[in-house]
Amino acid sequence: MFACLFQSQTLFNQLREITGIQDLQVLQSALNVCLVQQHLSMYSGVDCLTYSCFYSRALEVSAEENAACMKRKRCEGSGESCSPADWIRQEDCPVGIRNVGNTCWFSAVIQSLFHLPVFRRLVLNYCLSERVLEKCKSHSEKRNIAFMQELRCLFALMVGSNRRFVDPSAAVELLRDAFRTSEAQQDVSEFTHKLLDWLEDAFQLAANGNNPEDKQNNPMVQLFYGTFVAERLHEEKIVSNIEQFGQYPLQVNGFNNLDECLEGAMVEGEIELLHSDQTMSSGQERWFSKLPPVLTFELSRFEFNQSLGRPEKIHKKLEFPQVIYMDSRYLHKNVDQTHGRRGGVKRLKDQLTVLQQKLEGYKNYGSGPTKYPLADMLQYVLEFATTKPTNVSPASVPMNPAAHTEPSSSDSRQGPFSSTQRTPIHKPFTQCRPPIEVPLQPAPHSVTEEELYFVRSCLQRWRAEVENTINELKASIDKVSQALEGMYSDNSLCQVPYRLHAVLVHEGQASAGHYWAYIYDHANKRWLKYNDVMVTESTWEELVRDSYGGMTNASAYCLMYINDKLPYLIAEDTDNETGQVLKGMDSLPSILRRYVREDNRWFQQELREWEEQFCQAQREEAQVQTHTEKAVPEEPQNPEQEPNPEPVQEQTNEVSQEPPTDSTPAFHEEYSRLYELSQEETTPQQDPRLQHVLVYFFQNQAPNRVIERTLLEQFADRNLSFDDRAISIMREARSKIRLIKPEDMDMDEYLQWHDDYSMFKTVFAYLLAGLELYQNGKIREALNYLAHAHQDNSVLLRKGEKKGVDQSLIALYRRKCLKELNENAATLFKSQDENDVAEAVTIMNECIIPCMHLMVRDSVSQEDLDVIELIRSCWCSYLGQDMDDSVQEKLSEFLPRVLDCSAEMVVLKEPPKVRNSPHDLCSRLTAVMKSIHSTSVVTVK
C-alpha cells in the first residue's frame, strides 16, 4: 500500500512540475479524465462491397455521436468553458482540437498538416473506387481506409464547424489500437511515424492500386519525401548510393543552430562549423539530390542516460531561421563549390581565434588570479598620480575610525573598479556647475612637476595606444565574422529558399510533457499558437522563447519548412469557372458538407438545451434567494453612521456561517492556500505575488473586506462552474456578494487595490521585456521598457514597500542600457556621416535625454549620478574637436539639455503593449533570471 502511495505522490509531483498546477484536486480530476478509454470502432468488419452505402450512412451517425460525445465531455479538458456559448467559433478563427487523454501530440501534428492547404485538399478529396475497395482484404488496408475516413471527417469539421474545438477520438482510437496489439511501444515519435506511414499506404491505394511498390505517383511521397546521395571513400575510390528520406533526423548536442546541425548530419568528414570550435570527423558525406516541397527536420532532443538507466531530455539552445537556403551548402550539384568554401571557413576561423586571443589579453590583463582591462588600469594609475597630495598626514589627524579607516588588504584586492576611489580628470562641463563635495581620495605623498609630467605623458600615450589597438582588434574581428557569415550567403547559393511553416514544441521531461504547435498563417502573415482547444495569435519572439530551448524546459522537436518558390503549397481552393477563392463550407465535397451541416444542427440543439437548463437554474436560484431573505431579517442601520471594518467582519462571518453546504469548505481551503503562498520567500527566480492577486493583497495587508470580496468574485466566475459542486459554490458566492451592502464596501478603495495589482503586473512585464530585449542586443527598445518600469514602480513603492518590484534590478539594467546606447550614439556621431549623425541625435532626443531627466528628478543614487556624469563628459569632450559646422550645430542644440536636466517636461515614448498574465510572467521571470545568473552575477535584495 505504501509503495502505491509513493508512486501516486511521485506522479502528482511530476504533473505539478509539467503543468504548473498546484491544486491536487484539479490534478486528480484531470488524471481521471485521461484514464477514460472509449471504444470507437465504426469501420471494423465492414464489407468492401457495401462500403459506399455504409459510409454515407456512417457520416450521419458519426455526426450524432460526435455531438453526443462533445456534450458528454464538455467539462473535462482544461481551457474549456462550461457554457456552450463559449464553445462557439469566432469568425475566421481556426478550430482547436480537444485533448482526449495524452493526445496533445496528435493535435500538434494534425494542425500543422491541416494548415498546409495542399495537404488539406488531398485528405478532403480522398476517394477510392469500388474496384480498389474490392481488393482491400487485409486488416491493415481496411484499418487505413477507416482512418482516412475519420481524418476526412475531422478535417471537414475543422473547415466548417461552428464549434470552437472538435473531438478527434475516433481517429485517435484507431492509432491507439495499433499500439495495443503487436506494437506496445507508445512513444510519441513512433505515433507520428505510424500516422505518416498510414497516410502513405492509404494514398498508395488511391494512386496505384495495381502496383503497391511503385510510389512515384503517391502524393504523400511527392510532397514529403526527397533523396540524398551518400558518398564514401573505399579503396581510394568514391562509392556513392542514392537513398530516400522523409523526416530528416538531426542531432542537437554539439551544435548551436540549424545550419551546424545540417552540416554535422550531411558531412561526416572533417568540417569547420561557423560558430563553434568543434571539428566533426568520419569518412562519409551526404548531399541532397532532390528536396521535397515540404521539408521536415526531426530534432533529436532525447538521449538515454546509461548511468541513470533512463532517457533524458536535451535542453540545449538551438537557433533556427524563418528562411533557410538549402542550396548554399547541402545540394549535390554544388559539391565542388561547397568544398572550396569550407577551406575558406577554416582559414577565417583560424584568423578569428588569433584575434580573439589578442583581444582577451587586453581585456583581462595581469599575472595574478584576478585580471582587469589594461586600459582601465592605466587610467586609474593616471588618476592616482594626478590627485593633489594632502598637506597633513592622514595618520596625524584624529578622525572617526569607522568612517576614515585606510583601505585594508581585502579592500585592495577589489581591484581598480571601486566607484568611491575614482576621480575623473576630464570634465569640461563642471566649470558651469557648483562643486560637489567628495571624500578624500588616495594620493601620492609627494610628487614633483617633472615626475608628474613624465608619468602623465607615458600613461596617456600608453592608454591611447592600448585603446587604438583594442579598437583595431574589434574592427578586425567584426570584419572576419562578417566574412564568415557571408561565405554561403551570396546570390549564387541562395536560389532555393525554404520558409518555416510550423514548429512543434515539447515542454517537460523525457518521461512526460505537453505538446503544442506554432503555425504560420500565410494569408495574414502572422504566427498562431495551437495548444489543444486554444488557438491564439502569437509572435516570432514568443515562438523563439518557447522553441529555441536553453531557457526553460520547452523546446522545438520538429521543424516543418516549405519551398518558398512553390505557391501551390499554400494556395487556397478556387472555383473552376469563376476563379474565386472557396472558403469554409464551399471548399468541401458535397458528402462532407452534409456531414458538417448535420453536426452544426446538433450543436445548435445543444445550445438550446443548455439555455433552457441555465434559465431553470436561474429561476431556482431566485427562489432560494427569496426564501433566504425571508428567513434572515435585516437589522436596521443608521444611514448617517460611517461604516467601520469591525461590523463588516461580523457580517461576513455571519454570512459564512449559514446552514452548512458542500461549498463552504472551498472558501476556507482557497483562503488558506493563498495565505500560505503569501508567506513564501521571494527569490530572484520566483515572486509569489505574481501567482494570484490575493497573495499580493496578503503581503500588503489589504483590508479584510477587500480580500473577502475578491475571493468571492473568484468563485462567482461562471467559467469555473464545470460540475454540480462548482455550480453550487458559484451560486453561494454570488449570494454572499449580493448580501454585501453599498455602505459596507468602499468600491473606490476596492478598485484602487485591483488597479495597484494591475500596475504591479505591468511593471513586471515591462521589466522582463526590457531584460529579454537587453539580452538580445536590442538596447534602445530595452531602455524604453526599463524606464517605464522604473517610473511606474516608483509610484507603487511610494504606497508601500511590498506594492512594487525591487528597484535595484531595474536601475542596474537601466544604467547598463543607458551606457551602451550612449556609446552607440557617440560612435555614430563621431563618424560625421549625415545619416549616422541624424540617427545619433534621434537616440539622444528620444531615449537618452528623457531617461536622464527622469533619473535626476527621482531620488537619484550615486551609481546613477556616475552614469550621468559619464554621458555629459563624453559629449562635452566633442566641443574642442574639429568637425563640420552642421555637426557642431546639432551638438550645440542638444548639449544644453544633456547638461541641465530641469528645463523641460519629460515625455517618454510609450512602449508596445505587453502580456501580463500571471502564468506567463512567472515562467518568463524564471527563464530570464536563470539566463542572467548564468552570464553575470546580479544581487537582488
Side-chain angles (χ1 to χ4, degrees):
M1 180 180 71
F2 291 107
C4 293
L5 289 173
F6 176 76
Q7 293 175 357
S8 176
Q9 186 62 37
T10 302
L11 176 60
F12 283 118
N13 289 338
Q14 292 176 346
L15 289 174
R16 285 191 180 103
E17 178 183 356
I18 295 167
T19 63
I21 299 173
Q22 303 299 320
D23 194 322
L24 187 63
Q25 186 175 0
V26 174
L27 291 175
Q28 180 67 62
S29 302
L31 187 60
N32 292 338
V33 172
C34 293
L35 295 176
V36 174
Q37 300 295 333
Q38 297 179 1
H39 182 68
L40 295 173
S41 54
M42 183 183 296
Y43 295 104
S44 58
V46 178
D47 186 84
C48 293
L49 295 177
T50 60
Y51 173 80
S52 299
C53 296
F54 172 80
Y55 178 55
S56 299
R57 175 55 188 153
L59 285 177
E60 300 175 5
V61 177
S62 178
E64 299 176 5
E65 291 188 353
N66 182 65
C69 183
M70 295 291 285
K71 182 177 180 180
R72 220 169 29 243
K73 295 182 173 181
R74 61 173 171 249
C75 303
E76 293 177 0
S78 62
E80 301 171 21
S81 171
C82 182
S83 171
D86 296 328
W87 303 349
I88 300 175
R89 178 183 183 180
Q90 300 299 317
E91 186 177 0
D92 295 331
C93 181
V95 172
I97 298 179
R98 177 196 292 276
N99 188 330
V100 292
N102 298 329
T103 59
C104 48
W105 67 271
F106 181 85
S107 173
V109 173
I110 291 298
Q111 290 280 23
S112 62
L113 293 174
F114 172 81
H115 288 283
L116 200 58
V118 63
F119 180 81
R120 183 169 66 240
R121 283 192 295 270
L122 288 173
V123 172
L124 292 174
N125 296 312
Y126 181 82
C127 183
L128 294 178
S129 64
E130 289 191 12
R131 181 178 61 83
V132 174
L133 288 172
E134 291 174 359
K135 295 181 179 180
C136 297
K137 302 296 184 182
S138 67
H139 170 72
S140 61
E141 290 175 333
K142 292 180 180 180
R143 177 203 60 203
N144 292 345
I145 294 172
F147 178 75
M148 281 302 301
Q149 300 310 328
E150 290 296 351
L151 193 61
R152 289 187 72 201
C153 294
L154 182 63
F155 273 28
L157 290 174
M158 293 170 71
V159 169
S161 178
N162 292 335
R163 303 177 188 268
R164 187 166 62 89
F165 53 86
V166 294
D167 192 301
S169 297
V172 169
E173 284 302 312
L174 287 170
L175 272 173
R176 282 177 171 167
D177 286 340
F179 282 86
R180 290 195 191 104
T181 55
S182 59
E183 302 146 298
Q185 184 183 2
Q186 298 191 23
D187 178 71
V188 170
S189 180
E190 291 295 320
F191 266 126
T192 306
H193 283 287
K194 181 63 62 180
L195 168 65
L196 297 177
D197 287 344
W198 285 11
L199 290 171
E200 180 184 343
D201 293 343
F203 278 105
Q204 185 62 30
L205 293 173
N208 194 338
N210 295 326
N211 186 5
E213 301 300 326
D214 183 11
K215 297 187 177 183
Q216 292 184 355
N217 296 324
N218 189 322
M220 284 291 293
V221 174
Q222 295 173 348
L223 197 59
F224 294 101
Y225 286 83
T227 58
F228 64 83
V229 178
E231 295 181 344
R232 61 186 177 88
L233 195 62
H234 179 68
E235 296 180 355
E236 299 183 357
K237 293 182 179 180
I238 296 179
V239 180
S240 63
N241 61 295
I242 299 178
E243 299 180 24
Q244 190 180 60
F245 71 92
Q247 289 179 290
Y248 200 86
L250 296 174
Q251 294 295 325
V252 172
N253 257 350
F255 305 105
N256 298 317
N257 56 54
L258 185 61
D259 281 316
E260 292 183 5
C261 289
L262 279 167
E263 288 232 37
M266 301 298 293
V267 187
E268 295 182 359
E270 216 172 80
I271 63 168
E272 290 288 332
L273 304 181
L274 286 183
H275 304 285
S276 173
D277 296 330
Q278 185 176 358
T279 299
M280 309 295 295
S281 61
S282 183
Q284 182 170 279
E285 294 182 348
R286 295 185 182 90
W287 304 88
F288 289 119
S289 55
K290 179 185 175 184
L291 291 169
V294 181
L295 182 58
T296 305
F297 297 119
E298 187 179 279
L299 305 181
S300 300
R301 284 197 173 270
F302 301 98
E303 63 181 2
F304 191 80
N305 189 318
Q306 297 289 346
S307 59
L308 298 178
R310 65 167 184 259
E312 286 187 336
K313 185 177 178 182
I314 302 170
H315 294 289
K316 186 181 184 303
K317 180 179 180 180
L318 185 80
E319 299 178 355
F320 48 85
Q322 295 194 61
V323 177
I324 183 171
Y325 293 92
M326 293 303 299
D327 55 339
S328 62
R329 63 190 102 169
Y330 312 117
L331 287 187
H332 188 256
K333 66 179 182 179
N334 296 332
V335 57
D336 294 332
Q337 194 174 0
T338 303
H339 277 155
R341 291 181 182 247
R342 284 185 183 143
V345 168
K346 179 174 175 56
R347 289 190 297 272
L348 289 173
K349 280 188 65 68
D350 291 340
Q351 294 179 26
L352 188 62
T353 301
V354 173
L355 292 171
Q356 288 173 339
Q357 289 174 350
K358 289 182 179 180
L359 180 61
E360 186 66 19
Y362 284 97
K363 294 173 67 176
N364 293 285
Y365 182 83
S367 57
T370 306
K371 302 181 186 298
Y372 306 102
L374 179 56
D376 288 350
M377 294 179 70
L378 294 172
Q379 174 65 25
Y380 299 139
V381 173
L382 178 60
E383 292 176 3
F384 172 77
T386 55
T387 302
K388 293 183 178 181
T390 57
N391 296 326
V392 183
S393 172
S396 64
V397 180
M399 56 183 64
N400 184 354
H404 299 283
T405 305
E406 288 193 12
S408 63
S409 59
S410 62
D411 296 330
S412 64
R413 285 196 300 269
Q414 293 177 359
F417 297 105
S418 176
S419 62
T420 60
Q421 297 182 9
R422 243 193 275 179
T423 304
I425 61 173
H426 296 294
K427 293 189 176 180
F429 58 88
T430 55
Q431 296 176 2
C432 59
R433 295 171 58 83
I436 301 177
E437 295 185 1
V438 295
L440 294 177
Q441 302 294 328
H445 283 230
S446 65
V447 59
T448 65
E449 290 295 330
E450 183 179 358
E451 290 172 337
L452 183 59
Y453 174 79
F454 176 75
V455 170
R456 177 186 291 164
S457 60
C458 290
L459 289 174
Q460 287 179 343
R461 186 179 76 252
W462 293 341
R463 185 172 185 270
E465 291 173 356
V466 168
E467 289 181 339
N468 289 336
T469 305
I470 290 175
N471 291 333
E472 290 173 359
L473 287 171
K474 288 181 177 179
S476 299
I477 289 173
D478 290 341
K479 185 177 179 180
V480 174
S481 299
Q482 290 175 6
L484 271 173
E485 295 290 345
M487 286 299 293
Y488 299 104
S489 59
D490 57 53
N491 291 334
S492 63
L493 294 178
C494 296
Q495 301 300 314
V496 186
Y498 272 73
R499 181 171 298 278
L500 188 62
H501 166 69
V503 179
L504 278 62
V505 180
H506 173 268
E507 181 182 37
Q509 304 301 325
S511 57
H514 180 58
Y515 296 85
W516 67 86
Y518 289 100
I519 302 174
Y520 190 63
D521 181 359
H522 299 273
N524 298 304
K525 308 297 182 185
R526 59 178 180 173
W527 284 97
L528 296 176
K529 181 179 181 180
Y530 294 81
N531 190 354
D532 288 339
V533 300
M534 302 298 295
V535 181
T536 55
E537 188 169 350
S538 184
T539 62
W540 174 251
E541 290 71 24
E542 181 184 4
L543 185 154
V544 166
R545 189 173 65 247
D546 287 347
S547 306
Y548 276 6
M551 297 183 68
T552 65
N553 59 355
S555 55
Y557 76 93
C558 184
L559 307 175
M560 186 179 292
Y561 285 85
I562 61 174
N563 193 320
D564 208 24
K565 289 193 173 182
L566 299 178
Y568 77 90
L569 296 175
I570 57 175
E572 298 291 345
D573 287 335
T574 56
D575 186 89
N576 294 331
E577 297 180 358
T578 63
Q580 293 183 342
V581 176
L582 299 177
K583 294 185 178 180
M585 299 281 279
D586 294 335
S587 64
L588 297 177
S590 58
I591 190 170
L592 292 177
R593 202 177 302 144
R594 290 197 299 271
Y595 167 71
V596 174
R597 285 172 178 165
E598 185 67 15
D599 183 78
N600 287 338
R601 185 180 65 80
W602 280 98
F603 181 50
Q604 291 299 323
Q605 181 176 339
E606 186 177 349
L607 290 175
R608 288 192 295 270
E609 292 176 358
W610 178 270
E611 185 67 26
E612 293 174 0
Q613 294 175 5
F614 183 76
C615 293
Q616 179 64 25
Q618 290 287 90
R619 287 192 292 270
E620 293 176 359
E621 182 179 347
Q623 294 175 358
V624 171
Q625 181 183 352
T626 303
H627 177 74
T628 304
E629 291 175 352
K630 291 180 179 179
V632 183
E634 296 182 2
E635 296 183 5
Q637 294 187 3
N638 185 357
E640 298 179 358
Q641 182 180 357
E642 290 185 9
N644 59 66
E646 294 182 1
V648 172
Q649 183 66 37
E650 288 181 39
Q651 183 186 1
T652 305
N653 292 335
E654 186 178 23
V655 172
S656 64
Q657 293 174 357
E658 289 178 354
T661 65
D662 187 37
S663 61
T664 303
F667 301 147
H668 299 294
E669 290 173 8
E670 183 68 356
Y671 186 99
S672 301
R673 183 184 72 84
L674 295 173
Y675 182 80
E676 291 176 3
L677 185 60
S678 70
Q679 303 305 306
E680 292 184 3
E681 182 181 0
T682 300
T683 66
Q685 288 80 21
Q686 180 180 358
D687 192 324
R689 294 174 295 176
L690 288 174
Q691 299 191 30
H692 201 282
V693 61
L694 285 181
V695 176
Y696 181 85
F697 287 177
F698 281 130
Q699 291 197 3
N700 287 283
Q701 300 179 351
N704 287 336
R705 56 184 175 273
V706 173
I707 293 176
E708 290 165 0
R709 185 182 182 97
T710 303
L711 184 66
L712 292 174
E713 293 282 3
Q714 172 184 316
F715 282 102
D717 188 355
R718 66 186 180 88
N719 290 324
L720 300 178
S721 55
F722 50 85
D723 58 17
D724 293 337
R725 181 173 181 269
I727 293 175
S728 174
I729 295 174
M730 178 190 70
R731 291 174 179 171
E732 184 172 356
R734 291 181 176 180
S735 299
K736 290 177 181 292
I737 292 173
R738 282 193 289 267
L739 289 175
I740 300 176
K741 298 178 180 178
E743 58 267 27
D744 296 332
M745 171 62 68
D746 185 352
M747 288 306 296
D748 291 337
E749 177 191 42
Y750 176 82
L751 295 175
Q752 184 59 54
W753 274 96
H754 282 271
D755 289 342
D756 288 348
Y757 183 65
S758 178
M759 180 180 284
F760 168 78
K761 290 192 297 179
T762 301
V763 168
F764 239 113
Y766 284 162
L767 170 61
L768 294 177
L771 294 178
E772 289 167 346
L773 289 166
Y774 176 81
Q775 290 180 313
N776 291 325
K778 299 180 179 179
I779 309 300
R780 192 169 176 178
E781 296 85 349
L783 179 60
N784 191 25
Y785 277 112
L786 293 171
H788 275 279
H790 196 283
Q791 189 179 29
D792 294 346
N793 196 49
S794 300
V795 176
L796 289 174
L797 290 178
R798 285 195 286 269
K799 298 181 180 181
E801 183 182 357
K802 288 284 188 178
K803 283 207 169 185
V805 184
D806 181 18
Q807 198 80 309
S808 62
L809 182 63
I810 307 177
L812 172 63
Y813 278 89
R814 184 179 65 171
R815 289 194 296 271
K816 288 188 175 186
C817 290
L818 201 58
K819 288 174 64 178
E820 290 190 27
L821 193 58
N822 184 71
E823 291 173 1
N824 296 341
T827 302
L828 292 169
F829 193 84
K830 192 161 51 176
S831 71
Q832 298 197 35
D833 178 78
E834 183 178 355
N835 294 330
D836 289 348
V837 170
E839 178 66 12
V841 173
T842 301
I843 293 175
M844 293 299 298
N845 288 331
E846 293 183 0
C847 302
I848 295 177
I849 293 177
C851 189
M852 289 174 59
H853 286 208
L854 287 174
M855 291 168 68
V856 171
R857 294 183 184 186
D858 294 336
S859 54
V860 62
S861 65
Q862 184 61 44
E863 291 85 357
D864 287 345
L865 278 176
D866 289 343
V867 173
I868 293 173
E869 296 295 301
L870 181 67
I871 294 172
R872 289 168 171 168
S873 178
C874 168
W875 292 103
C876 286
S877 66
Y878 291 124
L879 288 173
Q881 294 186 11
D882 185 19
M883 58 180 64
D884 295 340
D885 293 340
S886 60
V887 177
Q888 191 74 37
E889 183 181 355
K890 291 183 182 297
L891 177 63
S892 62
E893 288 175 358
F894 70 80
L895 185 58
R897 299 172 59 213
V898 174
L899 298 177
D900 186 3
C901 295
S902 60
E904 63 177 350
M905 177 70 67
V906 181
V907 178
L908 274 177
K909 182 181 178 183
E910 195 68 21
K913 297 297 182 182
V914 291
R915 299 189 311 277
N916 61 358
S917 67
H919 176 72
D920 184 55
L921 291 178
C922 289
S923 61
R924 288 172 64 195
L925 173 64
T926 303
V928 169
M929 297 310 297
K930 180 180 178 182
S931 176
I932 288 176
H933 283 271
S934 66
T935 56
S936 62
V937 178
V938 178
T939 302
V940 182
K941 296 181 182 180

